[in-house]
Amino acid sequence: MPLQDVSEVPKPKRDPYVHKYDLVVVGAGPAGLSAALSASRDIGFSTLVIERNVPGGSAATSINRIENYLGFPDGLAGRSLAKLALRQMQGLDVDFFLTAKAQSISPEGEGRYAVGVKHGSTEESVSAGMVLIACGQRPYRLKLIDDHYPTQGVYYSALPCDQRREKDKDIIIVGGGNSAGQAALLFARGHAKSVSIVAAYGLVDMAESLQRELSKEKERITIYPAHRVLRFEGGEQLTSVTVQECNASTQQPFPVEASSVYILIGGTPDTDWLRKSEVTVRLNRKGFIKTDQHLPKKGASAFETSQPGIFAAGDVRVNSLRRVAQAVGQGAAAVASMARYAANNLDILDPQSTAYELLRIARLTYAEEDEADFTE
């Protein structure tokens, strides 16, 4: 469920269909919000943020507190993070275009782009000197017999920092791929009380080396191949998961105790709209955006896609870790690459924007740095 209180969202200062923005950000999750803040405050780019719902992304609707965010030792609710970010942007040169869906990117001329947008029944385009794609991904959801999810204890990624929280607890991993196997070993060897793997399609997609390691941990890891999750039990806190064999009509569902469940069955990036664009942004076979080191061209800037002036940050990129702190850092870091790109392509900017004069001066420094790097 999206944020209900959007009073903190800054009111648009301009008509999005008329103004020629320096930067258009697609997606107002942690990466997009971070980029918009840095782009406007640090560089002076006139910025438009397009968001199909309301700011915050999946972080704002997360059922768990963000526990690894710098400066918040007690954790932070994703909804609070989004509201604080919006408050920070009050008075900056950022416009928000809410309940609008990006549909395409096409050349506009002079190095600029037109981003096609659908807002209600209106289909128009907005003008962008550069585009940052930060529209994230949607995790695949389980097909439960009801749609009840406890407010605590359901996660969609597992990293080493989660080991401490799960010590001496019962854990369930849903999925049969490499990420599921790695998570099971991570928690078992991090002294979880028990680890259960529920894999509807077995472990056919898991590397044999991981399967061998799992077989060494039979005392701590139980595998339920060809089983599926039917229901989550518990109110605020998950207490158990109801499981049943996929193809057994006679087997009764049974509970597996757990205080945490990690759903590691993948997700889908929100990039279908890019496939319909006149401008081709290279994706991998799963639809995630290829940037910098994943591109064949040499010298690509960090977070740069296959198209000059189009960048990507956050969960929509190849090999994302689905962590809020990572997405926030990528959004800010992408602005540094965009500033260098804009300095070398000043014609894409509005000459009246704060960024124009700043980057006209800065590109003298960039040129000297590039020459020094070349001679070294």
Side-chain angles (χ1 to χ4, degrees):
M1 192 169 85
L3 288 172
Q4 298 299 310
D5 181 9
V6 295
S7 61
E8 299 285 353
V9 180
K11 301 298 182 184
K13 305 171 185 64
R14 296 152 294 213
D15 184 341
Y17 295 133
V18 174
H19 187 73
K20 291 183 176 293
Y21 290 94
D22 295 331
L23 171 64
V24 170
V25 178
V26 180
L33 291 175
S34 174
L37 176 66
S38 295
S40 179
R41 184 193 62 193
D42 300 343
I43 310 298
F45 288 135
S46 61
T47 304
L48 175 69
V49 181
I50 299 171
E51 171 55 51
R52 66 197 306 179
N53 295 306
V54 291
S58 60
T61 60
S62 174
I63 56 180
N64 300 290
R65 295 177 70 79
I66 302 166
E67 297 178 341
N68 66 335
Y69 200 83
L70 183 67
F72 293 88
D74 297 322
L76 175 69
R79 177 172 177 169
S80 297
L81 179 64
K83 292 186 71 173
L84 290 170
L86 292 170
R87 193 176 305 164
Q88 243 179 315
M89 278 184 262
Q90 293 284 355
L92 296 181
D93 196 8
V94 180
D95 285 342
F96 284 87
F97 196 2
L98 303 184
T99 65
K101 185 181 185 303
Q103 296 193 118
S104 63
I105 303 176
S106 58
E108 190 180 62
E110 299 182 344
R112 294 179 61 86
Y113 293 100
V115 180
V117 175
K118 183 174 183 179
H119 184 233
S121 59
T122 302
E123 296 188 28
E124 290 278 357
S125 64
V126 297
S127 179
M130 297 172 292
V131 179
L132 176 69
I133 304 170
C135 45
Q137 66 167 296
R138 298 181 300 276
Y140 294 128
R141 290 180 67 87
L142 298 174
K143 296 180 180 179
L144 306 176
I145 59 176
D146 59 37
D147 202 34
H148 168 64
Y149 279 73
T151 56
Q152 297 179 38
V154 181
Y155 303 90
Y156 291 93
S157 63
L159 288 177
C161 59
D162 299 319
Q163 270 188 329
R164 182 179 300 179
R165 179 181 60 234
E166 306 301 1
K167 184 178 180 182
D168 298 324
K169 295 182 179 179
D170 297 305
I171 310 302
I172 290 180
I173 310 294
V174 181
N178 290 337
S179 59
Q182 291 166 353
L185 290 172
L186 176 78
F187 292 127
R189 294 172 180 177
H191 305 291
K193 182 180 178 182
S194 70
V195 178
S196 300
I197 299 177
V198 179
Y201 302 103
L203 307 183
V204 293
D205 292 328
M206 188 181 295
E208 291 184 3
S209 57
L210 269 177
Q211 293 187 49
R212 287 194 296 269
E213 289 298 311
L214 290 176
S215 67
K216 299 176 184 178
E217 302 286 348
K218 290 182 178 179
E219 292 185 3
R220 288 182 288 184
I221 299 177
T222 302
I223 301 175
Y224 296 96
H227 282 68
R228 68 188 185 100
V229 173
L230 293 183
R231 182 188 294 114
F232 293 133
E233 307 293 348
E236 290 190 3
Q237 173 62 53
L238 178 74
T239 57
S240 67
V241 173
T242 300
V243 174
Q244 186 179 37
E245 190 173 356
C246 293
N247 299 318
S249 58
T250 58
Q251 186 197 54
Q252 292 298 313
F254 58 93
V256 179
E257 289 188 7
S259 58
S260 295
V261 59
Y262 289 81
I263 304 173
L264 306 180
I265 56 176
T268 178
D270 188 13
T271 55
D272 285 347
W273 61 280
L274 288 173
R275 301 181 191 277
K276 306 170 186 175
S277 295
E278 185 176 342
V279 169
T280 301
V281 174
R282 293 192 64 173
L283 312 173
N284 72 0
R285 61 185 179 84
K286 294 183 178 180
F288 291 93
I289 297 175
K290 293 183 177 182
T291 57
D292 40 83
Q293 74 267 30
H294 295 288
L295 295 171
K297 66 177 181 179
K298 295 182 179 179
S301 299
F303 308 103
E304 185 179 8
T305 72
S306 56
Q307 289 292 334
I310 300 180
F311 299 79
D315 294 347
V316 77
R317 296 173 73 225
V318 170
N319 290 344
S320 165
L321 292 179
R322 289 188 55 77
R323 289 290 174 170
V324 170
Q326 183 198 53
V328 170
Q330 287 186 9
V335 172
S337 292
M338 289 187 281
R340 182 177 283 265
Y341 174 83
N344 292 323
N345 298 274
L346 284 174
D347 289 345
I348 67 171
L349 299 180
D350 177 0
Q352 303 302 315
S353 74
T354 305
Y356 185 88
E357 187 62 26
L358 172 67
L359 294 179
R360 191 172 71 86
I361 298 169
R363 73 174 176 175
L364 302 175
T365 305
Y366 290 152
E368 289 186 5
E369 290 174 352
D370 292 341
E371 184 177 351
D373 289 341
F374 179 78
T375 56
E376 289 176 3

